[in-house]
Amino acid sequence: MSLLLSSNNWNEAYRNFNLAYDQKRIRLDSNHLGFGVTLNSIGNYYQAIEEYTEALHCYLKALECNNDQHNMAITKLNIGKIYTINNQYDDAINLVVEARDILQQSGSYSRIQLVHCHGILGDIYFAQFILSRMEAF
């Protein structure tokens, strides 16, 4: 996540992400690798302000771009988080496992990213458990 987002300066982050996206549309070929990265960042902005439908839209659009394996995996992790929020647990699990496998197969990961994948899987299973307990009452 970008430094601007982690500092909660969301409006400034959004402005800069959109400036980058506009510049890329002017200067780069439409299938350039950078589009996926920028759309993923815009999706992160929407996720941070809890606009999950917009975040999902950006993430799905990012997947349509020419991505390297690393960015594709990160985008799938982000979509998995949105699916978890929307109680789409099976879809979330599938995407997070796909992302983990992509990272491991490509060799473009750090141990922290694998821990992050497993943390998201833990979040999904915990959310499923909570939902099942609520449905029992």
Side-chain angles (χ1 to χ4, degrees), residues 1-10 12-13 16-17 41 44:
M1 192 174 293
S2 97
L3 180 60
L4 287 173
L5 281 178
S6 63
S7 69
N8 294 336
N9 195 348
W10 297 324
E12 188 65 19
N16 282 290
F17 293 147
S41 295
N44 288 342

Side-chain angles (χ1 to χ4, degrees), residues 41-58:
S41 295
I42 294 170
N44 288 342
Y45 160 78
Y46 282 118
Q47 188 176 159
I49 64 165
E50 299 180 356
E51 291 286 339
Y52 302 119
T53 301
E54 287 297 320
L56 182 59
H57 173 76
C58 290

Side-chain angles (χ1 to χ4, degrees), residues 36 40 59-60 62-63 70-80:
N40 194 33
Y59 294 144
L60 292 173
L63 279 185
H70 184 263
N71 192 52
M72 182 177 295
I74 298 305
T75 303
K76 286 183 179 207
L77 286 175
N78 288 331
I79 294 170

Side-chain angles (χ1 to χ4, degrees), residues 40-109:
N40 194 33
S41 295
I42 294 170
N44 288 342
Y45 160 78
Y46 282 118
Q47 188 176 159
I49 64 165
E50 299 180 356
E51 291 286 339
Y52 302 119
T53 301
E54 287 297 320
L56 182 59
H57 173 76
C58 290
Y59 294 144
L60 292 173
K61 196 170 176 182
L63 279 185
E64 294 172 5
C65 294
N66 181 20
N67 288 297
D68 62 17
Q69 294 295 305
H70 184 263
N71 192 52
M72 182 177 295
I74 298 305
T75 303
K76 286 183 179 207
L77 286 175
N78 288 331
I79 294 170
K81 291 180 207 174
I82 300 297
Y83 284 170
T84 302
I85 291 164
N86 292 334
N87 300 331
Q88 296 172 268
Y89 302 120
D90 291 337
D91 293 333
I93 290 168
N94 290 336
L95 274 177
V96 172
V97 169
E98 279 180 39
R100 182 203 60 203
D101 292 348
I102 289 169
L103 289 170
Q104 287 179 321
Q105 291 169 4
S106 71
S108 67
Y109 67 92

